[in-house]
Amino acid sequence: MARCSPPLLRRFFCCAAKSASATSAAAGTEKKNIVFLGSPQVAASVLDTLLAASSSPDSAFQVAAIVTQPPAAKNRGRKLMPSAVAQLALDRGFSGDLIFTPERAGEESFLSDLKGVRPELCITAAYGNILPQRFLDIPPCGTVNIHPSLLPLYRGAAPVQRALQDGVAETGVSLAYTVRALDAGPVIASERFSVDDCIKAPELLAILFNIGSKLLLDELPSVLDGSAKQKAKPQDDSKATLAPKMNSDESWLTFDEEAKVLHNKVRAFAGWPGTRAKLQLMTQNGEPDVLDIKVISTKVSTSCDKIGDENEILFSGNSLLVPCSGSTWLEVLELQLPGKKVTTARDFWNGLRGQKLLKST
């Protein structure tokens, strides 16, 4: 195979990993090869933890290769950019030739290169690609996944978002073996985390993957010596719930739901795809002007003594007060108009100059 230039990140395995193993063996300190698979920023934090731990002289493992999503077009210039995991690896001086970016994890050339690395163990964290059985058969110690939920709850692509949408008071992170069925492998260890009613998905994701990184380091010795397979507990499939991938069609808020449901959705959808709502601004000539806003931060009003029309949006303190189902009120603290920066509810309200604001019906 031809070798491509590092910026393109079309990586092919060379002899670097074998050389590293040979060097370690000659020194009498041969480390076990681990391959890390991940893509977004939360996965990059896990990789950073692994690289730091592997650099210790008494570490039993080394990160021999990294697998991540191919470069994607980002920002207005649509320039191809590496994933957060690939960028961190390069920033840490990791060999670009050992960063693999297959379109699919079942590609023959990729599986051949993976076998060449001779991994004892593969570790996944928000990789974003389905792993075929031919992949799972390669590492003798198996493939272990950091999953941000208390399995078997919230199996799937969006466990944190769906948990927040459901308004859970507790979630957690699980370290589990990967099998062909979705997030259904035996659980090696898990840790619980209490959820308040303000935290948003990006923050909770970061916290859970940070906890998961520490859990992984604690359990790595048993995973590498095989004893983790003996203590891992099978999941109770009868208690499984699903966490399907988010999509932009779900981002609209309709105020015929209770305020708590809408607040939980704002928290869950923060980051991507966000939450949007249509409001009506009554112009001076009495004609409605539809405003398409992005709702950034909210809370549920504990009490509202304001009086207005059934669909009228009011203002109190620092919040827009939106009437919702069940005589509940949603307080909108921050919002964003198309093409504008995020603004506070107070600044937005002041900009209306006394014009009446209604929720769209």
Coordinates of all heavy atoms in Angstrom, one line a residue, residues 58-154:
D58 N 6.4 1.6 34.6 CA 5.8 0.3 35.1 C 4.5 -0.1 34.4 O 3.8 -1.0 34.9 CB 5.7 0.3 36.6 CG 4.8 1.4 37.1 OD1 4.4 2.2 36.3 OD2 4.5 1.4 38.3
S59 N 4.1 0.6 33.4 CA 2.8 0.3 32.7 C 2.9 -1.1 32.0 O 3.9 -1.4 31.4 CB 2.5 1.4 31.7 OG 1.4 1.0 30.9
A60 N 1.8 -1.8 32.1 CA 1.8 -3.1 31.5 C 1.3 -3.1 30.0 O 1.2 -4.1 29.4 CB 0.9 -4.1 32.3
F61 N 1.0 -1.9 29.5 CA 0.4 -1.8 28.2 C 1.0 -0.6 27.4 O 1.5 0.4 28.1 CB -1.1 -1.7 28.2 CG -1.6 -0.4 28.8 CD1 -1.9 0.7 27.9 CD2 -1.8 -0.3 30.1 CE1 -2.4 1.9 28.4 CE2 -2.3 1.0 30.6 CZ -2.6 2.0 29.8
Q62 N 0.8 -0.6 26.1 CA 1.1 0.6 25.3 C 0.0 0.7 24.3 O -0.6 -0.3 23.8 CB 2.5 0.4 24.6 CG 2.6 -0.8 23.6 CD 3.9 -0.9 23.1 OE1 4.9 -0.2 23.4 NE2 4.1 -2.0 22.2
V63 N -0.3 2.0 23.9 CA -1.3 2.2 22.8 C -0.5 2.0 21.5 O 0.3 2.8 21.1 CB -1.8 3.6 22.9 CG1 -2.9 3.8 21.8 CG2 -2.5 3.8 24.3
A64 N -0.8 0.9 20.8 CA -0.1 0.5 19.6 C -0.7 1.1 18.4 O 0.0 1.3 17.4 CB -0.1 -1.0 19.5
A65 N -2.0 1.4 18.4 CA -2.6 2.0 17.2 C -3.9 2.7 17.7 O -4.5 2.4 18.8 CB -2.9 1.0 16.1
I66 N -4.4 3.6 16.8 CA -5.6 4.3 17.1 C -6.5 4.2 15.9 O -6.1 4.3 14.7 CB -5.4 5.8 17.4 CG1 -4.6 5.9 18.8 CG2 -6.6 6.6 17.5 CD1 -4.0 7.2 19.1
V67 N -7.8 4.0 16.1 CA -8.8 3.9 15.0 C -9.9 5.0 15.3 O -10.4 5.1 16.4 CB -9.5 2.5 15.0 CG1 -10.4 2.4 13.8 CG2 -8.4 1.4 15.0
T68 N -10.2 5.7 14.3 CA -11.1 6.8 14.4 C -11.8 7.1 13.1 O -11.5 6.5 12.1 CB -10.4 8.1 14.9 OG1 -11.3 9.1 15.3 CG2 -9.4 8.6 13.9
Q69 N -12.8 8.0 13.2 CA -13.6 8.3 12.0 C -12.7 9.1 11.0 O -11.8 9.8 11.4 CB -14.8 9.1 12.3 CG -15.9 8.4 13.1 CD -16.7 7.5 12.3 OE1 -16.5 7.3 11.1 NE2 -17.7 6.9 12.9
P70 N -13.0 8.9 9.7 CA -12.2 9.6 8.7 C -12.4 11.2 8.8 O -13.4 11.6 9.5 CB -12.8 9.2 7.3 CG -13.5 7.9 7.7 CD -14.0 8.0 9.1
P71 N -11.4 11.9 8.3 CA -11.6 13.4 8.4 C -12.9 13.8 7.7 O -13.4 13.2 6.8 CB -10.4 13.9 7.5 CG -9.4 12.8 7.6 CD -10.2 11.5 7.7
A72 N -13.5 14.8 8.3 CA -14.8 15.3 7.9 C -14.8 16.8 7.6 O -14.0 17.5 8.2 CB -15.9 15.0 8.9
A73 N -15.6 17.3 6.6 CA -15.7 18.7 6.3 C -16.4 19.4 7.4 O -17.4 19.1 7.9 CB -16.4 18.9 5.0
K74 N -15.7 20.5 7.9 CA -16.2 21.2 9.1 C -16.2 22.7 8.8 O -15.4 23.2 8.0 CB -15.5 20.9 10.3 CG -15.6 19.5 10.8 CD -14.8 19.2 12.0 CE -14.9 17.7 12.5 NZ -14.0 17.5 13.7
N75 N -17.0 23.4 9.5 CA -17.0 24.9 9.5 C -17.4 25.4 8.1 O -17.7 24.6 7.2 CB -15.7 25.5 9.9 CG -15.3 25.0 11.3 OD1 -16.1 24.9 12.1 ND2 -14.0 24.8 11.4
R76 N -17.5 26.7 7.9 CA -18.0 27.3 6.7 C -17.1 27.0 5.5 O -17.5 26.9 4.3 CB -18.1 28.8 6.8 CG -19.2 29.2 7.8 CD -19.4 30.7 7.9 NE -20.5 31.0 8.8 CZ -20.8 32.3 9.1 NH1 -20.2 33.3 8.5 NH2 -21.8 32.5 9.9
G77 N -15.8 26.8 5.7 CA -14.9 26.6 4.6 C -14.9 25.1 4.1 O -14.3 24.8 3.1
R78 N -15.6 24.3 4.9 CA -15.8 22.8 4.5 C -14.4 22.2 4.4 O -14.3 21.2 3.6 CB -16.6 22.7 3.2 CG -18.0 23.4 3.2 CD -18.8 23.1 4.5 NE -19.2 21.7 4.5 CZ -19.7 21.0 5.5 NH1 -19.8 21.7 6.7 NH2 -20.1 19.8 5.5
K79 N -13.5 22.6 5.1 CA -12.2 22.0 5.1 C -12.2 20.7 5.8 O -12.8 20.5 6.9 CB -11.2 23.0 5.8 CG -9.7 22.4 5.8 CD -8.8 23.4 6.5 CE -7.4 22.9 6.5 NZ -6.5 23.9 7.2
L80 N -11.5 19.7 5.2 CA -11.4 18.4 5.9 C -10.6 18.5 7.2 O -9.4 19.0 7.1 CB -10.8 17.3 4.9 CG -11.7 16.8 3.8 CD1 -10.9 15.8 3.0 CD2 -12.9 16.1 4.4
M81 N -11.2 18.1 8.3 CA -10.5 18.2 9.6 C -10.5 16.8 10.2 O -11.5 16.0 10.1 CB -11.2 19.1 10.5 CG -11.3 20.6 9.9 SD -9.7 21.4 9.9 CE -9.4 21.6 11.6
P82 N -9.4 16.4 10.9 CA -9.4 15.2 11.6 C -10.3 15.1 12.8 O -10.7 16.2 13.3 CB -7.9 15.1 12.1 CG -7.5 16.5 12.2 CD -8.2 17.2 11.1
S83 N -10.7 14.0 13.2 CA -11.5 13.8 14.4 C -10.7 14.4 15.6 O -9.5 14.5 15.6 CB -11.9 12.4 14.7 OG -10.8 11.6 15.1
A84 N -11.5 14.6 16.7 CA -10.8 15.1 17.9 C -9.8 14.1 18.5 O -8.8 14.5 19.0 CB -11.9 15.4 19.0
V85 N -10.1 12.8 18.3 CA -9.2 11.8 18.8 C -7.9 11.8 17.9 O -6.8 11.7 18.5 CB -9.9 10.4 18.7 CG1 -8.8 9.3 18.7 CG2 -10.8 10.2 19.9
A86 N -8.1 11.9 16.6 CA -6.9 11.9 15.7 C -6.0 13.1 16.0 O -4.8 13.1 16.1 CB -7.3 11.9 14.3
Q87 N -6.7 14.3 16.2 CA -6.0 15.5 16.5 C -5.2 15.4 17.8 O -4.0 15.8 17.9 CB -6.9 16.7 16.5 CG -6.2 18.1 16.6 CD -5.3 18.3 15.4 OE1 -5.8 18.3 14.2 NE2 -4.0 18.4 15.6
L88 N -5.8 14.9 18.8 CA -5.1 14.8 20.1 C -3.9 13.8 20.0 O -2.8 14.1 20.5 CB -6.1 14.3 21.2 CG -5.4 14.2 22.5 CD1 -6.2 14.8 23.6 CD2 -5.1 12.7 22.9
A89 N -4.1 12.7 19.3 CA -3.0 11.8 19.1 C -1.8 12.4 18.4 O -0.7 12.3 18.8 CB -3.5 10.6 18.3
L90 N -2.1 13.2 17.4 CA -1.0 13.9 16.6 C -0.4 14.9 17.5 O 0.9 15.1 17.5 CB -1.6 14.5 15.4 CG -2.0 13.6 14.3 CD1 -2.7 14.3 13.2 CD2 -0.9 12.8 13.7
D91 N -1.2 15.6 18.3 CA -0.6 16.7 19.2 C 0.3 16.0 20.3 O 1.2 16.7 20.8 CB -1.8 17.4 19.9 CG -2.5 18.3 19.0 OD1 -2.0 18.6 17.8 OD2 -3.7 18.7 19.3
R92 N 0.0 14.8 20.7 CA 0.8 14.1 21.7 C 2.0 13.4 21.1 O 2.7 12.7 21.8 CB -0.1 13.1 22.4 CG -1.2 13.7 23.3 CD -0.7 14.5 24.5 NE -1.7 15.0 25.3 CZ -2.3 16.2 25.1 NH1 -1.9 17.0 24.1 NH2 -3.3 16.6 25.9
G93 N 2.2 13.6 19.8 CA 3.3 13.0 19.1 C 3.1 11.5 18.7 O 4.1 10.8 18.4
F94 N 1.9 11.1 18.7 CA 1.6 9.7 18.2 C 1.9 9.6 16.7 O 1.6 10.5 16.0 CB 0.2 9.3 18.5 CG -0.1 7.9 18.5 CD1 0.1 7.1 19.6 CD2 -0.6 7.2 17.4 CE1 -0.1 5.7 19.6 CE2 -0.8 5.9 17.4 CZ -0.6 5.1 18.5
S95 N 2.5 8.5 16.3 CA 2.8 8.3 14.9 C 1.5 8.3 14.0 O 0.6 7.6 14.2 CB 3.5 6.9 14.7 OG 3.6 6.6 13.3
G96 N 1.6 9.2 13.0 CA 0.4 9.3 12.1 C 0.2 8.0 11.3 O -0.9 7.8 10.9
D97 N 1.2 7.2 11.1 CA 1.1 6.0 10.4 C 0.3 4.9 11.2 O 0.0 3.9 10.7 CB 2.5 5.4 10.0 CG 3.2 6.3 9.0 OD1 2.5 6.7 8.0 OD2 4.3 6.6 9.2
L98 N 0.1 5.2 12.5 CA -0.6 4.2 13.3 C -2.0 4.8 13.7 O -2.6 4.3 14.7 CB 0.2 3.9 14.6 CG 1.5 3.2 14.3 CD1 2.3 3.1 15.5 CD2 1.3 1.8 13.7
I99 N -2.5 5.7 12.9 CA -3.9 6.2 13.1 C -4.7 5.7 11.9 O -4.4 6.2 10.8 CB -3.9 7.8 13.2 CG1 -3.1 8.2 14.4 CG2 -5.4 8.2 13.4 CD1 -2.9 9.8 14.5
F100 N -5.6 4.8 12.1 CA -6.4 4.3 11.0 C -7.7 4.9 11.0 O -8.4 5.2 12.0 CB -6.6 2.8 11.3 CG -5.3 2.0 11.4 CD1 -5.0 1.3 12.5 CD2 -4.4 1.9 10.3 CE1 -3.8 0.6 12.6 CE2 -3.2 1.2 10.4 CZ -2.9 0.5 11.6
T101 N -8.2 5.2 9.8 CA -9.5 5.9 9.6 C -10.3 5.2 8.5 O -10.7 5.8 7.5 CB -9.2 7.4 9.1 OG1 -8.5 7.4 7.9 CG2 -8.5 8.2 10.2
P102 N -10.7 3.9 8.8 CA -11.5 3.2 7.8 C -12.9 3.8 7.7 O -13.5 4.3 8.7 CB -11.5 1.8 8.3 CG -11.4 2.0 9.8 CD -10.4 3.1 10.0
E103 N -13.5 3.8 6.6 CA -14.9 4.2 6.4 C -15.8 3.2 7.2 O -16.8 3.6 7.8 CB -15.4 4.2 5.0 CG -14.7 5.3 4.1 CD -15.2 6.6 4.4 OE1 -16.3 6.7 5.1 OE2 -14.6 7.6 4.0
R104 N -15.4 1.9 7.1 CA -16.2 0.8 7.9 C -15.1 -0.1 8.5 O -14.1 -0.4 8.0 CB -17.1 0.0 6.9 CG -18.2 0.8 6.3 CD -19.0 0.0 5.3 NE -18.1 -0.5 4.2 CZ -17.8 0.2 3.2 NH1 -18.2 1.4 3.0 NH2 -17.0 -0.4 2.3
A105 N -15.5 -0.5 9.7 CA -14.6 -1.4 10.5 C -14.4 -2.8 9.9 O -13.6 -3.6 10.4 CB -15.0 -1.4 11.9
G106 N -15.2 -3.1 8.9 CA -15.2 -4.4 8.3 C -14.3 -4.5 7.0 O -14.3 -5.5 6.4
E107 N -13.7 -3.4 6.7 CA -12.8 -3.3 5.4 C -11.7 -4.3 5.6 O -11.0 -4.4 6.6 CB -12.3 -1.9 5.2 CG -13.4 -0.9 4.9 CD -12.8 0.5 4.7 OE1 -11.6 0.6 4.8 OE2 -13.6 1.4 4.6
E108 N -11.5 -5.1 4.5 CA -10.4 -6.1 4.5 C -9.1 -5.6 4.8 O -8.3 -6.1 5.6 CB -10.5 -6.9 3.2 CG -11.7 -7.8 3.0 CD -11.8 -8.9 4.1 OE1 -10.7 -9.3 4.7 OE2 -12.9 -9.5 4.3
S109 N -8.8 -4.4 4.1 CA -7.4 -3.8 4.3 C -7.2 -3.4 5.7 O -6.1 -3.5 6.3 CB -7.2 -2.7 3.3 OG -8.2 -1.7 3.5
F110 N -8.3 -2.8 6.3 CA -8.1 -2.4 7.7 C -8.0 -3.5 8.7 O -7.1 -3.5 9.5 CB -9.4 -1.6 8.1 CG -9.5 -1.4 9.6 CD1 -8.6 -0.6 10.3 CD2 -10.6 -2.0 10.3 CE1 -8.7 -0.5 11.7 CE2 -10.7 -1.8 11.6 CZ -9.8 -1.1 12.3
L111 N -8.8 -4.6 8.5 CA -8.6 -5.8 9.4 C -7.3 -6.4 9.2 O -6.7 -6.9 10.2 CB -9.7 -6.8 9.0 CG -11.2 -6.3 9.4 CD1 -12.2 -7.4 8.9 CD2 -11.3 -6.1 10.9
S112 N -6.7 -6.4 8.0 CA -5.4 -6.9 7.8 C -4.3 -6.1 8.6 O -3.4 -6.6 9.2 CB -5.1 -6.9 6.3 OG -3.7 -7.4 6.1
D113 N -4.5 -4.8 8.5 CA -3.6 -3.9 9.2 C -3.7 -4.0 10.7 O -2.7 -4.0 11.5 CB -3.8 -2.4 8.8 CG -3.4 -2.1 7.4 OD1 -2.5 -2.9 6.9 OD2 -3.9 -1.2 6.8
L114 N -5.0 -4.2 11.2 CA -5.2 -4.4 12.6 C -4.5 -5.7 13.1 O -3.9 -5.7 14.2 CB -6.7 -4.4 12.9 CG -7.1 -4.6 14.4 CD1 -6.7 -3.3 15.2 CD2 -8.6 -4.8 14.5
K115 N -4.6 -6.7 12.4 CA -4.0 -8.0 12.8 C -2.5 -7.8 12.9 O -1.8 -8.4 13.7 CB -4.3 -9.1 11.8 CG -5.7 -9.6 11.8 CD -6.0 -10.6 10.7 CE -7.5 -11.1 10.8 NZ -7.7 -12.0 9.7
G116 N -1.9 -6.9 12.0 CA -0.5 -6.7 12.0 C 0.0 -6.0 13.2 O 1.1 -6.1 13.6
V117 N -0.9 -5.2 13.9 CA -0.6 -4.6 15.1 C -0.5 -5.5 16.3 O 0.1 -5.3 17.3 CB -1.6 -3.5 15.5 CG1 -1.3 -2.7 16.7 CG2 -1.7 -2.5 14.3
R118 N -1.2 -6.7 16.1 CA -1.2 -7.7 17.2 C -1.7 -7.2 18.5 O -1.1 -7.3 19.5 CB 0.2 -8.4 17.3 CG 0.6 -9.1 16.1 CD 2.0 -9.7 16.3 NE 3.0 -8.8 16.6 CZ 4.3 -9.0 16.6 NH1 4.8 -10.2 16.2 NH2 5.2 -8.1 17.0
P119 N -2.9 -6.7 18.5 CA -3.5 -6.1 19.7 C -3.9 -7.2 20.7 O -4.5 -8.2 20.3 CB -4.7 -5.3 19.3 CG -5.2 -6.0 18.0 CD -3.9 -6.5 17.4
E120 N -3.6 -7.1 22.0 CA -4.1 -7.9 23.0 C -5.5 -7.6 23.4 O -6.3 -8.4 23.7 CB -3.2 -7.8 24.3 CG -1.8 -8.4 24.1 CD -1.8 -9.9 24.1 OE1 -2.7 -10.5 24.7 OE2 -0.9 -10.5 23.4
L121 N -5.8 -6.2 23.3 CA -7.1 -5.7 23.7 C -7.4 -4.5 22.8 O -6.6 -3.7 22.5 CB -7.0 -5.3 25.2 CG -8.2 -4.5 25.8 CD1 -9.4 -5.4 25.9 CD2 -7.8 -3.9 27.1
C122 N -8.7 -4.4 22.5 CA -9.2 -3.1 21.9 C -10.2 -2.4 22.9 O -10.9 -3.1 23.6 CB -10.0 -3.5 20.6 SG -8.9 -4.0 19.2
I123 N -10.1 -1.1 22.9 CA -10.9 -0.3 23.8 C -11.7 0.7 22.9 O -11.1 1.4 22.1 CB -10.0 0.4 24.8 CG1 -9.3 -0.6 25.7 CG2 -10.9 1.4 25.6 CD1 -8.3 0.1 26.6
T124 N -13.0 0.8 23.1 CA -13.8 1.7 22.4 C -14.5 2.7 23.3 O -14.8 2.4 24.4 CB -14.9 1.0 21.6 OG1 -15.8 0.3 22.5 CG2 -14.3 0.0 20.6
A125 N -14.6 3.9 22.8 CA -15.3 5.0 23.5 C -15.8 6.0 22.5 O -15.1 6.7 21.8 CB -14.3 5.8 24.4
A126 N -17.1 5.9 22.2 CA -17.8 6.7 21.3 C -17.1 6.7 19.9 O -16.8 7.7 19.3 CB -17.9 8.2 21.8
Y127 N -16.8 5.5 19.4 CA -16.2 5.3 18.1 C -17.1 5.7 17.0 O -16.7 6.4 16.1 CB -15.7 3.9 18.0 CG -15.1 3.6 16.6 CD1 -14.3 4.4 15.9 CD2 -15.5 2.4 16.0 CE1 -13.8 4.1 14.6 CE2 -15.0 2.1 14.7 CZ -14.2 2.9 14.0 OH -13.7 2.6 12.8
G128 N -18.3 5.2 17.0 CA -19.3 5.6 15.9 C -19.3 4.6 14.7 O -19.9 5.0 13.7
N129 N -18.8 3.5 14.9 CA -18.8 2.5 13.8 C -19.2 1.1 14.3 O -18.8 0.8 15.4 CB -17.5 2.4 13.0 CG -17.6 2.9 11.6 OD1 -18.6 2.9 11.0 ND2 -16.4 3.3 11.1
I130 N -20.0 0.3 13.6 CA -20.3 -1.0 14.0 C -19.1 -1.9 13.8 O -18.4 -1.9 12.8 CB -21.5 -1.5 13.2 CG1 -22.8 -0.7 13.5 CG2 -21.8 -3.0 13.5 CD1 -24.0 -1.0 12.7
L131 N -18.8 -2.7 14.8 CA -17.7 -3.6 14.8 C -18.2 -5.0 14.4 O -19.0 -5.7 15.2 CB -17.0 -3.7 16.2 CG -16.5 -2.3 16.7 CD1 -15.8 -2.5 18.0 CD2 -15.5 -1.7 15.7
P132 N -17.7 -5.6 13.3 CA -18.2 -6.9 12.9 C -17.5 -8.0 13.7 O -16.5 -7.7 14.4 CB -17.7 -6.9 11.4 CG -16.5 -6.0 11.3 CD -16.8 -4.9 12.3
Q133 N -18.0 -9.2 13.6 CA -17.4 -10.3 14.3 C -15.9 -10.5 14.0 O -15.1 -10.9 14.8 CB -18.2 -11.6 14.1 CG -17.8 -12.7 15.1 CD -18.1 -12.4 16.5 OE1 -19.1 -11.9 16.9 NE2 -17.1 -12.6 17.4
R134 N -15.6 -10.3 12.7 CA -14.2 -10.5 12.3 C -13.3 -9.6 13.0 O -12.1 -9.9 13.2 CB -14.1 -10.3 10.7 CG -14.7 -11.4 9.9 CD -14.6 -11.1 8.4 NE -15.3 -9.8 8.1 CZ -15.0 -9.1 7.0 NH1 -14.1 -9.5 6.1 NH2 -15.7 -8.0 6.8
F135 N -13.8 -8.4 13.3 CA -13.0 -7.5 14.2 C -12.9 -8.0 15.6 O -11.8 -8.1 16.2 CB -13.6 -6.1 14.2 CG -12.9 -5.1 15.1 CD1 -12.1 -4.2 14.5 CD2 -13.1 -5.1 16.4 CE1 -11.4 -3.3 15.4 CE2 -12.5 -4.2 17.3 CZ -11.6 -3.3 16.7
L136 N -14.0 -8.4 16.2 CA -14.1 -8.8 17.6 C -13.2 -10.1 17.8 O -12.8 -10.3 18.9 CB -15.5 -9.1 18.0 CG -16.4 -7.9 17.9 CD1 -17.9 -8.3 18.3 CD2 -15.9 -6.7 18.8
D137 N -13.0 -10.9 16.8 CA -12.2 -12.1 16.9 C -10.7 -11.9 17.0 O -9.9 -12.8 17.3 CB -12.5 -13.1 15.7 CG -13.9 -13.6 15.8 OD1 -14.5 -13.7 16.9 OD2 -14.4 -14.1 14.7
I138 N -10.3 -10.7 16.7 CA -8.8 -10.4 16.6 C -8.1 -10.3 17.9 O -7.2 -11.0 18.2 CB -8.5 -9.2 15.7 CG1 -8.9 -9.4 14.2 CG2 -7.1 -8.7 15.8 CD1 -8.8 -8.2 13.3
P139 N -8.5 -9.4 18.8 CA -7.8 -9.3 20.1 C -8.1 -10.4 21.1 O -9.3 -10.7 21.4 CB -8.3 -7.9 20.7 CG -9.7 -7.7 20.1 CD -9.6 -8.4 18.7
P140 N -7.1 -11.1 21.6 CA -7.4 -12.3 22.5 C -8.1 -11.9 23.8 O -8.8 -12.7 24.4 CB -6.0 -12.9 22.7 CG -5.0 -11.8 22.3 CD -5.7 -11.0 21.3
C141 N -7.8 -10.7 24.3 CA -8.5 -10.2 25.5 C -9.8 -9.6 25.3 O -10.5 -9.1 26.2 CB -7.5 -9.3 26.3 SG -6.1 -10.0 26.9
G142 N -10.2 -9.5 24.0 CA -11.5 -9.0 23.7 C -11.5 -7.5 23.4 O -10.5 -6.9 23.3
T143 N -12.7 -7.0 23.3 CA -12.9 -5.5 23.1 C -13.8 -5.0 24.2 O -14.8 -5.6 24.5 CB -13.6 -5.2 21.7 OG1 -12.7 -5.7 20.6 CG2 -13.9 -3.8 21.5
V144 N -13.4 -4.0 24.8 CA -14.1 -3.4 26.0 C -14.5 -2.0 25.6 O -13.8 -1.2 25.0 CB -13.1 -3.4 27.2 CG1 -13.8 -2.6 28.3 CG2 -12.8 -4.8 27.7
N145 N -15.8 -1.7 26.0 CA -16.4 -0.4 25.7 C -16.7 0.4 26.9 O -17.2 -0.2 27.9 CB -17.7 -0.6 24.9 CG -18.3 0.7 24.5 OD1 -17.7 1.6 24.0 ND2 -19.6 0.8 24.7
I146 N -16.5 1.7 26.9 CA -16.9 2.6 27.9 C -18.3 3.2 27.4 O -18.4 3.9 26.4 CB -15.9 3.8 28.1 CG1 -14.6 3.3 28.6 CG2 -16.5 4.8 29.1 CD1 -13.5 4.4 28.8
H147 N -19.3 2.8 28.2 CA -20.7 3.2 27.8 C -21.3 4.1 28.8 O -21.4 3.7 30.0 CB -21.6 2.0 27.5 CG -22.9 2.3 27.0 ND1 -23.1 2.6 25.6 CD2 -24.1 2.4 27.5 CE1 -24.4 2.9 25.4 NE2 -25.0 2.8 26.6
P148 N -21.7 5.3 28.5 CA -22.2 6.3 29.5 C -23.6 6.0 30.0 O -24.5 6.9 29.8 CB -22.0 7.6 28.9 CG -22.1 7.4 27.4 CD -21.6 6.0 27.2
S149 N -23.9 4.9 30.5 CA -25.2 4.6 31.1 C -25.0 3.4 32.0 O -23.9 2.7 32.0 CB -26.3 4.3 30.1 OG -26.2 2.9 29.7
L150 N -26.0 3.1 32.9 CA -26.0 1.9 33.7 C -26.6 0.8 33.0 O -27.8 0.6 33.0 CB -26.7 2.2 35.0 CG -26.0 3.3 35.9 CD1 -26.9 3.6 37.1 CD2 -24.6 2.9 36.4
L151 N -25.8 0.1 32.2 CA -26.4 -1.0 31.4 C -27.1 -2.0 32.3 O -26.6 -2.3 33.4 CB -25.3 -1.7 30.6 CG -24.7 -0.8 29.4 CD1 -23.4 -1.4 28.9 CD2 -25.7 -0.5 28.3
P152 N -28.2 -2.6 31.8 CA -28.7 -2.6 30.4 C -29.6 -1.4 30.1 O -30.3 -1.4 29.0 CB -29.6 -3.8 30.3 CG -30.1 -4.0 31.7 CD -29.0 -3.5 32.6
L153 N -29.6 -0.3 30.9 CA -30.4 0.9 30.6 C -29.7 1.7 29.5 O -28.5 1.8 29.5 CB -30.6 1.7 31.8 CG -31.3 1.1 33.0 CD1 -31.4 2.1 34.2 CD2 -32.7 0.6 32.6
Y154 N -30.5 2.2 28.6 CA -30.1 3.1 27.5 C -29.0 2.6 26.7 O -27.9 3.1 26.5 CB -29.6 4.5 28.2 CG -30.8 5.2 28.9 CD1 -30.9 5.2 30.3 CD2 -31.8 5.8 28.1 CE1 -31.9 5.8 30.9 CE2 -32.9 6.4 28.8 CZ -32.9 6.4 30.2 OH -34.0 7.0 30.8

